[in-house]
Amino acid sequence: MSSKATDNTGTADQASYVEPGAEFTRDTNYISTRITADGRDGYPVEAGRYRLVAARACPWANRTLIARRLLGLEDALSLGLCGPTHDQRSWTFDLDPGGVDPVLGIERLQEAYFARQPDYPRGITVPAIVDVPTGKVVTNDYAQITLDFSTEWTAFHRDGAPDLYPESLRSEIDEVAELVYRDVNNGVYRCGFAGSQDKYDAAFDRLFARLDWLEDRLTHRRYLVGDTITEADVRLFTTLARFDPVYHGHFKCNRNPLTAFPALWGYARDLFQTPGFGDTTDFVQIKQHYYIVHTDLNPTQIVPKGPELSGWVTPHGREELGGRPFGDGTPPPPPRAEEAVPSDHTPL
């Protein structure tokens, strides 16, 4: 028996099992091929060539949806959306007519992974970018994907696109993002999939110590790094959006709900009400995914009705801290009708 429970047979946003006595460890061996302006890995940035496959339920995929919207890459990079639930084999395109992605012509994302590597041994994860002409997954390295959206896809950014990864702030963004990933983004999973009381206690304490640190950091500054929205904010937001609906109860992260942190709750609402964030957040799919897929944690698969979501659209007062959400840029236009979150899945 392995000494650690690893997320190497499931998907990027869930562990496949809880191993008694084990500490949850995420498998981070992703397909590292990059799509770059110079095409040095064999995949040059080209409009219309690639398809982003994501799921609104998944926090790691939600990052790519936000960045794509903020930067205005919709015309250059098409979007395929998987449903909120899946089996052990793969995410599926059950939201599409006939359960088939209309561009890739496949029922399971697994098919695109196997086109790249027939014996692909790891989890079939979202987000993934697929090369449409060959049907092969190019990359599923979610952390690098959003950075490359900012730095390699610049030829296709919309007019007024914000700089989410400004060169002068990159070292600080990277430092903050790593702390957030270790203790918060992944920290909630270390709580939820801990295999023993001591592993859970350690993960719990580490998570809330970091949330307290973030609360202090955001009390007197509007954004995590600098005075505009950056990659660091995109990475934190997707965990905060899922905190009260899922992580507080389902993953036993229950010292305090998000709403008990004045600065963090105000910060989360500020981002949610910013175009690109709330309009890519689907609370219904988020809850369906975690409570239905994680049968080891929730064997009845009952999806809770709460929490009440109207607070997400209440005034946050964060404008008083200054800052400009898009810097010298502008907000993105409303989402396209075919990509809009259903109105009954959001308080917007």
Side-chain angles (χ1 to χ4, degrees):
M1 180 179 290
S2 169
S3 62
K4 293 185 178 181
T6 57
D7 182 16
N8 61 359
T9 58
T11 56
D13 63 319
Q14 61 102 19
S16 56
Y17 60 92
V18 179
E19 185 177 337
E23 177 184 57
F24 170 70
T25 302
R26 184 173 299 280
D27 181 356
T28 57
N29 292 301
Y30 299 109
I31 300 173
S32 59
T33 307
R34 293 174 61 191
I35 300 169
T36 57
D38 63 8
R40 56 186 177 272
D41 284 358
Y43 292 97
V45 171
E46 295 179 17
R49 175 173 174 177
Y50 306 102
R51 187 161 177 82
L52 172 64
V53 178
R56 290 196 182 107
C58 170
W60 320 98
N62 198 173
R63 296 177 180 185
T64 64
L65 299 179
I66 293 169
R68 177 176 173 269
R69 280 267 292 125
L70 295 177
L71 299 173
L73 294 175
E74 291 94 335
D75 285 337
L77 180 65
S78 69
L79 175 64
L81 286 172
C82 298
T85 62
H86 56 76
D87 57 25
Q88 284 296 316
R89 290 174 57 195
S90 177
W91 292 88
T92 56
F93 295 97
D94 48 287
L95 300 177
D96 292 306
V100 176
D101 180 88
V103 172
L104 300 174
I106 58 177
E107 296 180 353
R108 292 176 171 273
L109 181 56
Q110 183 184 56
E111 297 173 58
Y113 277 81
F114 287 173
R116 171 72 184 262
Q117 184 179 338
D119 58 348
Y120 186 74
R122 317 200 82 85
I124 306 302
T125 63
V126 290
I129 298 182
V130 179
D131 180 42
V132 175
T134 64
K136 299 177 180 179
V137 166
V138 178
T139 181
N140 65 342
D141 188 348
Y142 64 88
Q144 190 62 51
I145 286 172
T146 51
L147 295 180
D148 285 344
F149 282 175
S150 287
T151 60
E152 301 292 337
W153 289 75
T154 55
F156 300 103
H157 287 184
R158 64 178 176 85
D159 292 339
D163 187 352
L164 299 178
Y165 198 48
E167 193 163 357
S168 63
L169 296 176
R170 287 181 186 176
S171 61
E172 186 177 0
I173 291 171
D174 292 346
E175 179 183 359
V176 171
E178 175 57 29
L179 293 173
V180 168
Y181 167 77
R182 185 191 69 193
D183 298 336
V184 181
N185 300 143
N186 197 48
V188 294
Y189 288 86
R190 293 175 69 242
C191 289
F193 291 102
S196 67
Q197 187 69 51
D198 64 317
K199 298 296 190 297
Y200 165 75
D201 289 347
F204 181 97
D205 291 344
R206 193 168 177 175
L207 166 66
F208 280 97
R210 185 60 60 195
L211 290 175
D212 289 338
W213 179 85
L214 288 165
E215 175 73 8
D216 182 66
R217 184 179 182 92
L218 290 166
T219 295
H220 302 294
R221 58 192 302 163
R222 190 170 179 186
Y223 302 111
L224 278 176
V225 180
D227 63 356
T228 65
I229 291 168
T230 68
E231 174 80 14
D233 300 298
V234 174
R235 294 187 180 200
L236 176 58
F237 172 79
T238 58
T239 297
L240 296 183
R242 289 157 176 77
F243 199 87
D244 286 6
V246 174
Y247 304 143
H248 181 268
H250 187 56
F251 280 179
K252 309 181 193 69
C253 301
N254 62 353
R255 193 196 78 180
N256 309 102
L258 176 64
T259 54
F261 291 90
L264 271 172
W265 176 224
Y267 166 83
R269 283 160 29 230
D270 187 4
L271 291 178
F272 183 82
Q273 295 169 35
T274 299
F277 288 84
D279 55 30
T280 61
T281 302
D282 188 318
F283 287 108
V284 170
Q285 288 196 15
I286 287 168
K287 291 195 298 181
Q288 287 174 337
H289 171 72
Y290 286 91
Y291 287 102
I292 293 174
V293 170
H294 295 166
T295 54
D296 46 354
L297 298 185
N298 186 39
T300 66
Q301 299 181 296
I302 293 172
V303 180
K305 294 184 70 174
E308 168 62 43
L309 298 175
S310 60
W312 282 96
V313 293
T314 59
H316 50 75
R318 300 280 294 178
E319 303 92 339
E320 296 178 3
L321 297 174
R324 299 175 299 154
F326 301 100
D328 294 329
T330 57
R336 298 175 176 185
E338 66 272 17
E339 295 184 5
V341 174
S343 60
D344 58 346
H345 290 198
T346 176
L348 287 174

